[in-house]
Structures are given as C-alpha cells and as structure tokens.
Amino acid sequence: MPQLKVIISGGGTGGHIFPAIAIANALKEKVKEIDFLFVGAEGRMEMEKVPAAGYRIEGLWISGLQRRLTLKNLAFPLKVISSLMKAKRILKRFRPDVVIGTGGYASGPMLRVAASRGIPTLIQEQNSFPGITNKLLAGKVDRICVAYQGMEKYFPAAKLVLTGNPVRQEVVMLDGKHEPALAHFGLEGSKKTILIIGGSLGARTINESIAASLRLFSEQGIQLIWQTGKSYYGKAKTMESGSVKVFDFISRMDLAYAAADLVISRAGAISVSELCLTGKAAILVPSPNVAEDHQTKNAMALADKEAAWLVKDGEAVEKLGKRAVDLVNDAITLERLRMNISKLAVRDSAGRIADEVLKLVK
C-alpha cells in the first residue's frame, strides 16, 4: 500500500489540540506508511503543542469573529479569504488522502476546501453542543464523530458515529495507583481528598471559591490537591499547608485523579471525558466565558443522568465549598455518582475514530 497522507486541522484550545494528536497517534499504530501534516491558526497554542508531540504544522491567518463590535472584526473577511487561499495551496502541494477536523478556527477553511475538492473528510465534535465551525461544516463533510448521544439534533443522522472523546491514555489508567498517589502528594490515607482543577489556564471563580472555603475544609479534616493555573498561583501558595497542596500545573494527572475522592472541575469536553473514564465523583462548575455556553450543556448532560453535581459559576463563591463538604462526606451519593459517570465512558475513542478515517480512505 502506498503511503497514506493525512491532514489534521484544529486548535485554539487544548480541547481541540489533544484529540487531534491522539487521533494521529492512533492512526500511526494502525498504518505503517503514513505522513501527517497538521494545520492550525497562527499564534495559537497548537503551533507549540503539535511540534512538541512530534508532528509538522502549518499556520493559517485566521481567528474567530468577536462577539461585540470591534476593529478586529474588520479584518475577519480578509483572514477568511487568506486562509481559504492558503488551504487550497496546502492541498495542492500535500495531496492528502483524507482531511480530519477537530474544531476551532483553522479547521473551517481547511475542511471546507477539502470537501469541495471531493477529498474524504471527517470532523470530531467534543461537546454536547457543537461549535459554530463544525455546525457550518456538517453538511459538507463525509463523517461526524461525536462524544454524546442525541447529536442528530444538530447534525445529519446518517453521518454520525458515537466514538467518545480521545483522551491521553496515561491520564486515565489508575489501577493500583491510590497509595502511590497519596505518597506522591504527601497526603494521609485516613482523610478525604478533593482535587480542584480549573482547566489548563486555571479558573478564577473556582480558585476564589476554594480560598473562601479553606477554613471549612480544615474543620472537616479534608485535604486538597489544588491546581490554580498560573495567574492565581502566587496568591494560593500563601495558603498552602500540610493538608492543602497548591500547584500551578499538575503534570501527573493520573496520580491526582487516583488520590481524589471527589473532583471539582470546569466542564470542558476533555475534562468531562477524563472524569467518565476515571469514574470519579465530580462537581462541575461550567465556565461562562466559552462559545455557545457549551460547558453548561456538557455539565447538564451529566447532571441530568445523576452522574455529576452542577454548581453555577455565579453561585460558586457562596455555595461550592459547602456542597463539596456535603458530598465528600456522603458515601452513598459519592458511590452513585461514580457508578453513573462510569456508565458514560466510551473507551478507545482515538482507535474508533482512526477506524472511521480508514473506512473513508478505502
């Protein structure tokens, strides 16, 4: 078989980039002769993360349309035309057998041009409520891989395949790690442990809510693994103690999950998928600052199935600490949440998506 040539386009946030890399890794395991080219948005996170994972990337001059009237929007039509022209040049030069989109600005022009040229195309939607790029592409692409049921509300049913979200496998493999995890973080096995994660950039509301509740946690003998992100780290570090461990970033997320009895998290698609695969009881605090408020919809998809608790961002400072204490001390409810969230896990998502890609090529 001649070498398979694959373009993967997407980015802007880790939620679009890490699935793209996971799909590439899964394809590499299934096909010996394969050549990848990633296409991202200039100046965005993917231009650094993709080469770090060992893949080539080219950037398009593209960004999102601002929600309010701003001078940046004047350049938007120019950026779209520029990106469509560059996408055509990339396709002509690289001549891919298939083009994959994982969402974000750059995947729009790339997938649109590929579909118009009759090149097989596939998009992967991470959220329970699709982003605008994937909504616009849905009618043009050949296959749509989704992480939630009921997506025929937004996409043509005949194109849908339920695959789940690709996550970093090393993060969700927790067997036999509970004791080593407690030792790693210097925590006591006799106390309840709450893990707090605000996404890769941290989350101000969650951080402020935890800071406001530290006395309550201390009185209850609860210990914390607290990932703050960079901007809040200096302030939180002054509150660190034997039972409150503060980090700007946690590299061993598998150990953080393994140590935790309860997780407090934003409701980004990849975070939610990791919680399902690790079977962790969780309180989700959706970020209000994301496109189409999709984090609230992700959280509702779990809360409606009694697979997680939801606390609104605007109510978090007042309610989050109290609700976390109530839940971590309620063994029956914790176990029910664990059982229900585990049922929603879809395993080997990257492998399933890779199989769909290869079906299109054949």
Side-chain angles (χ1 to χ4, degrees):
M1 182 179 169
Q3 188 178 47
L4 182 67
K5 304 189 82 168
V6 180
I7 285 178
I8 303 183
S9 185
T13 68
H16 296 311
I17 299 161
F18 296 123
I21 293 168
I23 293 165
N25 292 342
L27 278 166
K28 216 159 55 173
E29 283 180 17
K30 292 175 186 284
V31 181
K32 280 197 171 64
E33 293 286 314
I34 190 161
D35 186 15
F36 289 102
L37 177 63
F38 279 70
V39 177
E42 282 175 4
R44 298 298 298 235
M45 192 174 160
E46 56 268 26
M47 303 308 288
E48 176 194 326
K49 299 288 183 194
V50 169
Y55 295 104
R56 285 184 296 155
I57 187 165
E58 290 195 36
L60 303 180
W61 184 46
I62 188 73
S63 62
L65 200 55
Q66 302 296 310
R67 284 171 197 285
R68 56 188 186 282
L69 282 172
T70 162
L71 287 171
K72 283 184 180 172
N73 281 345
L74 294 175
F76 183 72
L78 281 176
K79 289 181 177 182
V80 171
I81 293 163
S82 158
S83 295
L84 288 168
M85 288 170 67
K86 186 165 183 185
K88 285 174 185 172
R89 292 198 298 274
I90 289 171
L91 287 176
K92 195 172 177 184
R93 187 182 73 243
F94 188 74
R95 300 179 67 176
D97 298 293
V98 63
V99 179
I100 301 163
T102 58
Y105 320 130
S107 66
M110 199 69 237
L111 273 286
R112 190 186 174 95
V113 174
S116 72
R117 299 277 165 98
I119 298 165
T121 48
L122 175 148
I123 55 176
Q124 193 254 337
E125 175 55 59
Q126 294 94 27
N127 293 293
S128 61
F129 184 82
I132 194 160
T133 303
N134 280 349
K135 269 190 183 162
L136 291 170
L137 290 169
K140 299 175 175 62
V141 299
D142 299 302
R143 194 74 40 91
I144 304 170
C145 294
V146 294
Y148 292 87
Q149 288 170 336
M151 297 299 283
E152 54 281 348
K153 289 197 292 264
Y154 312 109
F155 294 136
K159 296 182 181 184
L160 289 179
V161 187
L162 182 68
T163 57
N165 276 324
V167 302
R168 295 164 290 172
Q169 285 307 301
E170 68 275 13
V171 168
V172 297
M173 295 167 77
L174 308 188
D175 285 357
K177 290 185 182 176
H178 182 66
E179 297 302 326
L182 293 173
H184 177 83
F185 290 106
L187 298 170
E188 295 177 38
S190 59
K191 292 183 175 178
K192 295 286 186 189
T193 302
I194 300 177
L195 167 64
I196 300 113
I197 36 177
S200 52
L201 302 171
R204 195 182 73 204
T205 309
I206 292 180
N207 287 331
E208 287 173 353
S209 305
I210 297 305
S213 306
L214 284 178
R215 176 185 274 185
L216 179 60
F217 291 130
S218 173
E219 287 168 356
Q220 293 284 324
I222 294 165
Q223 49 199 7
L224 308 180
I225 303 169
W226 184 7
Q227 180 187 291
T228 61
K230 281 194 169 59
S231 60
Y232 202 84
Y233 177 68
K235 189 172 183 181
K237 199 69 181 163
T238 65
M239 307 175 210
E240 192 168 48
S241 66
S243 59
V244 179
K245 310 293 182 180
V246 176
F247 305 88
D248 61 340
F249 177 78
I250 298 173
S251 55
R252 289 295 305 271
M253 274 307 295
D254 58 328
L255 295 181
Y257 282 131
D261 297 291
L262 173 66
V263 180
I264 294 171
S265 173
R266 284 303 200 198
I270 301 306
S271 299
V272 168
S273 294
E274 287 179 358
L275 290 168
C276 292
L277 285 160
T278 53
K280 288 290 162 180
I283 297 178
L284 301 173
V285 186
S287 170
N289 309 315
V290 293
E292 287 104 18
D293 197 24
H294 65 240
Q295 286 206 6
T296 297
K297 295 174 178 91
N298 291 347
M300 288 297 296
L302 268 67
D304 288 347
K305 295 182 172 76
E306 287 191 55
W309 281 11
L310 189 159
V311 171
K312 290 179 181 169
D313 189 86
E315 299 176 348
V317 173
E318 181 192 343
K319 294 183 178 176
L320 183 58
K322 172 82 168 63
R323 295 210 75 194
V325 167
D326 289 347
L327 181 52
V328 84
N329 287 325
D330 181 349
I332 292 169
T333 306
L334 269 185
E335 187 54 32
R336 185 167 73 244
L337 291 179
R338 284 188 200 118
M339 284 177 63
N340 288 343
I341 202 168
S342 295
K343 287 175 194 165
L344 302 177
V346 183
R347 297 182 192 282
D348 190 31
S349 296
R352 291 180 184 214
I353 295 165
D355 288 338
E356 293 301 323
V357 171
L358 295 176
K359 283 180 201 169
L360 287 179
V361 176
K362 283 172 187 164

Coordinates of all heavy atoms in Angstrom, one line a residue, residues 216-289:
L216 N -13.5 25.9 56.3 CA -14.5 24.9 56.3 C -13.9 23.5 56.0 O -14.1 22.5 56.7 CB -15.6 25.2 55.3 CG -16.7 24.2 55.1 CD1 -17.5 24.0 56.4 CD2 -17.7 24.6 54.0
F217 N -13.0 23.4 55.0 CA -12.3 22.2 54.7 C -11.4 21.7 55.8 O -11.4 20.5 56.2 CB -11.5 22.3 53.4 CG -12.3 22.5 52.1 CD1 -12.0 23.6 51.2 CD2 -13.3 21.7 51.8 CE1 -12.7 23.7 50.1 CE2 -14.1 21.8 50.6 CZ -13.8 22.9 49.8
S218 N -10.7 22.7 56.4 CA -9.8 22.4 57.5 C -10.6 21.8 58.7 O -10.2 20.8 59.3 CB -9.1 23.6 57.9 OG -8.3 23.4 59.1
E219 N -11.7 22.4 59.1 CA -12.6 22.0 60.2 C -13.1 20.6 60.0 O -13.3 19.8 60.9 CB -13.8 22.9 60.4 CG -13.4 24.3 61.0 CD -14.5 25.3 60.9 OE1 -15.6 25.0 60.3 OE2 -14.3 26.4 61.4
Q220 N -13.3 20.2 58.7 CA -13.8 18.9 58.4 C -12.7 17.8 58.2 O -13.0 16.7 57.9 CB -14.7 19.0 57.1 CG -15.9 19.8 57.2 CD -17.0 19.0 58.0 OE1 -17.2 17.8 57.8 NE2 -17.8 19.7 58.8
G221 N -11.5 18.3 58.3 CA -10.3 17.3 58.1 C -10.2 16.9 56.7 O -9.8 15.7 56.4
I222 N -10.6 17.7 55.7 CA -10.5 17.4 54.3 C -9.2 17.9 53.7 O -8.8 19.1 54.0 CB -11.7 18.0 53.5 CG1 -13.0 17.3 54.0 CG2 -11.5 17.8 52.0 CD1 -14.3 18.0 53.6
Q223 N -8.5 17.1 52.9 CA -7.3 17.6 52.3 C -7.5 17.9 50.8 O -8.4 17.3 50.2 CB -6.1 16.6 52.5 CG -6.4 15.2 52.2 CD -5.5 14.2 52.8 OE1 -4.6 14.5 53.6 NE2 -5.6 12.9 52.4
L224 N -6.7 18.9 50.3 CA -6.9 19.3 48.9 C -5.7 19.2 48.0 O -4.6 19.5 48.5 CB -7.3 20.8 48.9 CG -8.5 21.3 49.8 CD1 -8.6 22.8 49.7 CD2 -9.8 20.6 49.5
I225 N -5.9 18.8 46.8 CA -4.9 19.0 45.7 C -5.5 20.1 44.8 O -6.5 19.9 44.2 CB -4.7 17.7 44.9 CG1 -4.3 16.5 45.8 CG2 -3.7 17.9 43.8 CD1 -4.4 15.1 45.1
W226 N -4.8 21.2 44.8 CA -5.4 22.4 44.2 C -4.6 22.9 43.1 O -3.5 23.5 43.3 CB -5.5 23.5 45.3 CG -6.2 24.8 45.0 CD1 -6.9 25.1 43.9 CD2 -6.3 25.9 45.8 NE1 -7.4 26.4 43.9 CE2 -7.0 26.9 45.2 CE3 -5.8 26.2 47.1 CZ2 -7.3 28.2 45.7 CZ3 -6.1 27.5 47.7 CH2 -6.8 28.4 47.0
Q227 N -5.1 22.7 41.8 CA -4.4 23.2 40.7 C -5.0 24.6 40.3 O -6.2 24.7 40.0 CB -4.5 22.3 39.5 CG -3.8 22.9 38.2 CD -4.1 22.1 37.0 OE1 -3.6 20.9 36.8 NE2 -4.8 22.6 36.0
T228 N -4.2 25.6 40.4 CA -4.7 27.0 40.3 C -4.6 27.6 39.0 O -5.3 28.6 38.6 CB -4.0 27.9 41.3 OG1 -2.6 27.9 40.9 CG2 -4.1 27.5 42.7
G229 N -3.7 27.1 38.1 CA -3.3 27.9 36.9 C -2.3 28.9 37.3 O -2.0 29.1 38.5
K230 N -1.7 29.6 36.3 CA -0.5 30.5 36.6 C -1.0 31.8 37.4 O -0.3 32.2 38.3 CB 0.2 30.9 35.3 CG 1.1 29.8 34.8 CD 2.0 30.3 33.7 CE 3.1 29.3 33.4 NZ 2.6 28.0 33.0
S231 N -2.1 32.4 37.0 CA -2.4 33.7 37.5 C -2.7 33.8 39.0 O -2.5 34.7 39.6 CB -3.5 34.4 36.6 OG -4.7 33.6 36.7
Y232 N -3.3 32.7 39.5 CA -3.7 32.7 40.9 C -2.7 32.0 41.8 O -2.8 32.0 43.0 CB -5.1 32.0 41.0 CG -5.9 32.3 42.3 CD1 -6.6 33.5 42.3 CD2 -5.8 31.5 43.4 CE1 -7.4 33.8 43.5 CE2 -6.5 31.8 44.6 CZ -7.3 33.0 44.6 OH -8.0 33.3 45.7
Y233 N -1.7 31.4 41.2 CA -0.8 30.5 41.9 C -0.1 31.2 43.1 O 0.0 30.7 44.2 CB 0.3 29.9 40.9 CG 1.3 29.0 41.6 CD1 1.0 27.8 42.2 CD2 2.7 29.4 41.6 CE1 1.9 27.0 42.7 CE2 3.6 28.7 42.2 CZ 3.3 27.4 42.8 OH 4.2 26.7 43.4
G234 N 0.5 32.4 42.8 CA 1.2 33.1 43.9 C 0.4 33.4 45.1 O 0.8 33.2 46.2
K235 N -0.9 33.8 44.9 CA -1.8 34.1 46.0 C -2.1 32.8 46.8 O -2.1 32.7 48.0 CB -3.1 34.7 45.4 CG -4.0 35.2 46.5 CD -5.1 36.0 45.9 CE -6.0 36.6 46.9 NZ -7.2 37.4 46.4
A236 N -2.4 31.7 46.0 CA -2.8 30.4 46.6 C -1.7 29.8 47.4 O -1.9 29.2 48.4 CB -3.4 29.5 45.6
K237 N -0.5 30.0 46.9 CA 0.7 29.4 47.5 C 0.9 29.9 49.0 O 1.4 29.1 49.8 CB 2.0 29.7 46.7 CG 3.2 28.8 46.9 CD 2.9 27.4 46.4 CE 4.2 26.6 46.7 NZ 3.9 25.1 46.6
T238 N 0.4 31.1 49.3 CA 0.5 31.6 50.6 C -0.5 30.9 51.6 O -0.4 31.0 52.8 CB 0.2 33.2 50.7 OG1 -1.2 33.4 50.3 CG2 1.1 33.9 49.7
M239 N -1.5 30.2 51.0 CA -2.5 29.5 51.8 C -2.1 28.0 51.9 O -2.9 27.3 52.5 CB -3.9 29.6 51.1 CG -4.3 31.1 50.8 SD -5.9 31.1 49.9 CE -5.7 32.6 48.9
E240 N -1.0 27.6 51.3 CA -0.7 26.2 51.4 C -0.4 25.7 52.8 O 0.1 26.5 53.6 CB 0.6 25.9 50.5 CG 0.8 24.4 50.2 CD 1.9 24.2 49.1 OE1 2.9 24.9 49.2 OE2 1.6 23.4 48.2
S241 N -0.7 24.4 53.1 CA -0.5 23.9 54.4 C -0.2 22.4 54.2 O -0.2 21.9 53.1 CB -1.7 24.1 55.3 OG -2.8 23.4 54.8
G242 N -0.1 21.6 55.3 CA 0.1 20.2 55.2 C -1.1 19.5 54.5 O -0.9 18.5 53.9
S243 N -2.3 20.0 54.7 CA -3.4 19.4 54.0 C -3.9 20.1 52.8 O -4.9 19.7 52.2 CB -4.6 19.2 55.0 OG -4.9 20.5 55.5
V244 N -3.3 21.2 52.4 CA -3.6 21.9 51.2 C -2.4 22.0 50.3 O -1.4 22.7 50.6 CB -4.2 23.3 51.5 CG1 -4.5 24.1 50.2 CG2 -5.4 23.3 52.4
K245 N -2.4 21.2 49.2 CA -1.2 21.2 48.3 C -1.6 22.0 47.0 O -2.5 21.7 46.4 CB -0.9 19.7 47.9 CG -0.8 18.8 49.1 CD 0.4 19.1 49.9 CE 0.5 18.0 51.1 NZ 1.6 18.3 52.0
V246 N -0.8 23.0 46.8 CA -1.1 24.0 45.7 C -0.1 23.8 44.5 O 1.1 23.8 44.7 CB -1.0 25.4 46.2 CG1 -1.2 26.5 45.1 CG2 -2.0 25.7 47.4
F247 N -0.6 23.8 43.3 CA 0.2 23.7 42.1 C -0.4 24.6 41.0 O -1.6 24.8 40.9 CB 0.1 22.2 41.5 CG 0.5 21.2 42.5 CD1 -0.5 20.6 43.4 CD2 1.8 20.7 42.6 CE1 -0.1 19.6 44.3 CE2 2.1 19.7 43.5 CZ 1.2 19.2 44.4
D248 N 0.5 25.2 40.2 CA 0.0 26.0 39.1 C -0.4 25.0 37.9 O -1.3 25.3 37.2 CB 1.0 27.0 38.6 CG 2.4 26.4 38.1 OD1 2.7 25.3 38.5 OD2 3.1 27.1 37.4
F249 N 0.3 23.9 37.9 CA 0.0 22.9 36.8 C 0.4 21.5 37.4 O 1.4 21.4 38.1 CB 0.9 23.2 35.6 CG 0.7 22.2 34.5 CD1 -0.4 22.2 33.7 CD2 1.6 21.2 34.2 CE1 -0.6 21.3 32.6 CE2 1.5 20.2 33.2 CZ 0.4 20.3 32.4
I250 N -0.4 20.5 37.1 CA -0.1 19.1 37.6 C 0.3 18.3 36.4 O -0.5 18.0 35.5 CB -1.3 18.5 38.3 CG1 -1.7 19.3 39.6 CG2 -1.0 17.1 38.7 CD1 -3.0 18.9 40.3
S251 N 1.5 17.8 36.4 CA 2.0 17.0 35.3 C 1.5 15.6 35.4 O 1.2 14.9 34.4 CB 3.5 17.0 35.1 OG 4.1 16.6 36.3
R252 N 1.4 15.0 36.6 CA 0.9 13.7 36.8 C -0.6 13.7 37.2 O -1.0 13.4 38.3 CB 1.8 13.0 37.9 CG 3.2 12.6 37.5 CD 3.3 11.6 36.4 NE 2.6 10.3 36.6 CZ 3.1 9.3 37.2 NH1 4.4 9.3 37.6 NH2 2.4 8.2 37.3
M253 N -1.4 13.9 36.2 CA -2.8 14.0 36.4 C -3.4 12.6 36.8 O -4.4 12.5 37.5 CB -3.6 14.5 35.2 CG -3.7 16.0 35.1 SD -4.4 16.8 36.6 CE -6.1 16.2 36.6
D254 N -2.7 11.5 36.3 CA -3.2 10.2 36.7 C -3.1 10.0 38.2 O -4.1 9.5 38.9 CB -2.4 9.1 36.0 CG -0.9 9.2 36.3 OD1 -0.4 10.3 36.5 OD2 -0.2 8.2 36.3
L255 N -2.1 10.5 38.9 CA -1.9 10.4 40.3 C -2.9 11.3 41.0 O -3.4 11.0 42.1 CB -0.5 10.7 40.7 CG 0.6 9.7 40.2 CD1 2.0 10.1 40.7 CD2 0.3 8.3 40.7
A256 N -3.1 12.5 40.5 CA -4.1 13.4 41.1 C -5.5 12.8 41.1 O -6.2 12.8 42.1 CB -4.1 14.8 40.3
Y257 N -5.9 12.2 40.0 CA -7.2 11.5 39.9 C -7.2 10.3 40.9 O -8.2 10.1 41.6 CB -7.5 11.0 38.5 CG -8.0 12.1 37.5 CD1 -7.4 12.2 36.3 CD2 -9.1 12.9 37.8 CE1 -7.9 13.1 35.3 CE2 -9.5 13.9 36.9 CZ -8.9 14.0 35.7 OH -9.4 14.9 34.8
A258 N -6.1 9.6 40.9 CA -6.1 8.4 41.8 C -6.2 8.7 43.2 O -6.8 7.9 44.0 CB -4.8 7.6 41.5
A259 N -5.7 9.9 43.7 CA -5.8 10.3 45.1 C -7.1 10.8 45.5 O -7.5 10.8 46.7 CB -4.7 11.3 45.3
A260 N -7.9 11.2 44.5 CA -9.1 12.0 44.8 C -10.4 11.2 45.1 O -10.7 10.2 44.4 CB -9.4 12.9 43.6
D261 N -11.1 11.6 46.2 CA -12.4 11.0 46.4 C -13.5 11.8 45.7 O -14.6 11.3 45.4 CB -12.7 11.1 47.9 CG -11.8 10.3 48.8 OD1 -11.8 9.0 48.7 OD2 -10.9 10.9 49.5
L262 N -13.2 13.1 45.4 CA -14.1 14.0 44.7 C -13.3 15.0 43.9 O -12.2 15.4 44.3 CB -14.9 14.8 45.7 CG -15.8 15.9 45.2 CD1 -17.0 15.3 44.3 CD2 -16.4 16.7 46.4
V263 N -13.8 15.3 42.7 CA -13.1 16.3 41.8 C -14.0 17.5 41.6 O -15.2 17.3 41.3 CB -12.8 15.6 40.4 CG1 -12.0 16.6 39.5 CG2 -11.9 14.4 40.6
I264 N -13.5 18.7 41.7 CA -14.1 19.9 41.3 C -13.5 20.4 40.1 O -12.3 20.6 40.0 CB -14.0 21.0 42.5 CG1 -14.8 20.5 43.7 CG2 -14.6 22.3 42.0 CD1 -14.6 21.4 44.9
S265 N -14.3 20.6 39.0 CA -13.7 20.9 37.7 C -14.6 21.8 36.9 O -15.8 21.9 37.1 CB -13.5 19.6 37.0 OG -13.0 19.7 35.7
R266 N -14.0 22.5 35.9 CA -14.7 23.1 34.8 C -15.3 21.9 34.0 O -15.0 20.8 34.2 CB -13.8 23.9 33.9 CG -13.4 25.3 34.5 CD -14.6 26.1 34.8 NE -14.2 27.6 34.9 CZ -15.0 28.4 35.5 NH1 -16.1 28.0 36.1 NH2 -14.7 29.7 35.5
A267 N -16.2 22.3 33.0 CA -16.9 21.2 32.3 C -16.5 21.2 30.8 O -17.3 21.0 29.9 CB -18.4 21.4 32.4
G268 N -15.2 21.4 30.6 CA -14.7 21.3 29.2 C -14.9 19.8 28.7 O -14.9 18.9 29.6
A269 N -15.0 19.6 27.4 CA -15.3 18.3 26.9 C -14.2 17.3 27.3 O -14.6 16.1 27.7 CB -15.4 18.4 25.4
I270 N -13.0 17.6 27.3 CA -11.9 16.6 27.6 C -11.9 16.3 29.1 O -11.7 15.2 29.5 CB -10.6 17.1 27.0 CG1 -10.6 17.3 25.5 CG2 -9.5 16.1 27.3 CD1 -11.1 16.1 24.7
S271 N -12.1 17.3 29.9 CA -12.1 17.1 31.3 C -13.3 16.2 31.7 O -13.1 15.2 32.5 CB -12.3 18.4 32.1 OG -11.3 19.3 31.9
V272 N -14.4 16.4 31.1 CA -15.6 15.5 31.3 C -15.3 14.1 30.9 O -15.7 13.1 31.6 CB -16.9 16.1 30.6 CG1 -18.0 15.1 30.6 CG2 -17.3 17.4 31.3
S273 N -14.7 13.9 29.7 CA -14.4 12.6 29.2 C -13.4 11.9 30.2 O -13.5 10.7 30.4 CB -13.8 12.7 27.8 OG -14.8 13.1 26.9
E274 N -12.4 12.6 30.7 CA -11.5 12.0 31.7 C -12.2 11.6 32.9 O -11.9 10.5 33.5 CB -10.4 13.0 32.0 CG -9.4 13.2 30.9 CD -8.3 14.2 31.2 OE1 -8.3 14.8 32.3 OE2 -7.4 14.4 30.3
L275 N -13.1 12.4 33.4 CA -13.9 12.0 34.6 C -14.7 10.8 34.4 O -14.8 9.9 35.3 CB -14.8 13.2 35.0 CG -14.1 14.4 35.6 CD1 -15.0 15.6 35.7 CD2 -13.4 14.1 36.9
C276 N -15.3 10.7 33.2 CA -16.1 9.4 32.9 C -15.2 8.2 32.9 O -15.6 7.2 33.4 CB -16.8 9.6 31.5 SG -18.1 10.8 31.4
L277 N -14.0 8.3 32.3 CA -13.1 7.2 32.1 C -12.5 6.8 33.4 O -12.2 5.7 33.7 CB -12.1 7.5 31.1 CG -12.6 7.4 29.6 CD1 -11.7 8.2 28.7 CD2 -12.7 6.0 29.2
T278 N -12.3 7.8 34.3 CA -11.7 7.5 35.6 C -12.7 7.1 36.7 O -12.4 6.6 37.7 CB -10.9 8.7 36.2 OG1 -11.7 9.9 36.2 CG2 -9.6 9.0 35.3
G279 N -14.0 7.4 36.3 CA -15.1 7.0 37.2 C -15.1 7.8 38.5 O -15.4 7.3 39.6
K280 N -14.8 9.1 38.4 CA -14.7 10.0 39.6 C -16.0 10.8 39.8 O -16.5 11.4 38.9 CB -13.5 11.0 39.4 CG -12.1 10.3 39.5 CD -11.9 9.8 40.9 CE -10.8 8.8 41.0 NZ -10.5 8.4 42.4
A281 N -16.4 10.8 41.1 CA -17.5 11.7 41.5 C -17.0 13.1 41.3 O -15.9 13.4 41.6 CB -17.8 11.4 43.0
A282 N -17.9 14.0 40.8 CA -17.4 15.3 40.4 C -18.5 16.4 40.7 O -19.7 16.1 40.6 CB -17.0 15.4 38.9
I283 N -18.0 17.6 41.0 CA -18.9 18.8 41.0 C -18.3 19.6 39.8 O -17.2 20.0 39.8 CB -18.8 19.6 42.3 CG1 -19.3 18.7 43.5 CG2 -19.6 20.9 42.2 CD1 -19.3 19.5 44.8
L284 N -19.2 19.9 38.9 CA -18.8 20.7 37.7 C -19.2 22.1 37.8 O -20.4 22.4 38.2 CB -19.4 20.1 36.4 CG -19.0 18.6 36.2 CD1 -19.8 18.1 35.0 CD2 -17.5 18.5 35.9
V285 N -18.3 23.1 37.6 CA -18.6 24.5 37.6 C -18.3 25.0 36.2 O -17.2 25.4 35.8 CB -17.7 25.2 38.6 CG1 -18.1 26.7 38.7 CG2 -17.8 24.5 40.0
P286 N -19.4 25.0 35.3 CA -19.1 25.4 33.9 C -18.6 26.8 33.8 O -19.1 27.7 34.4 CB -20.5 25.3 33.3 CG -21.3 24.4 34.2 CD -20.8 24.7 35.6
S287 N -17.6 27.0 32.9 CA -17.1 28.4 32.6 C -18.2 29.1 31.8 O -18.7 28.6 30.8 CB -15.8 28.3 31.8 OG -15.5 29.6 31.3
P288 N -18.5 30.3 32.2 CA -19.5 31.1 31.4 C -18.8 31.8 30.2 O -19.5 32.4 29.4 CB -20.0 32.1 32.4 CG -18.8 32.4 33.3 CD -18.1 31.1 33.4
N289 N -17.5 31.7 30.1 CA -16.8 32.5 29.1 C -16.4 31.7 27.8 O -15.4 32.0 27.2 CB -15.5 33.1 29.7 CG -15.8 33.8 31.0 OD1 -16.7 34.5 31.1 ND2 -14.9 33.5 32.0

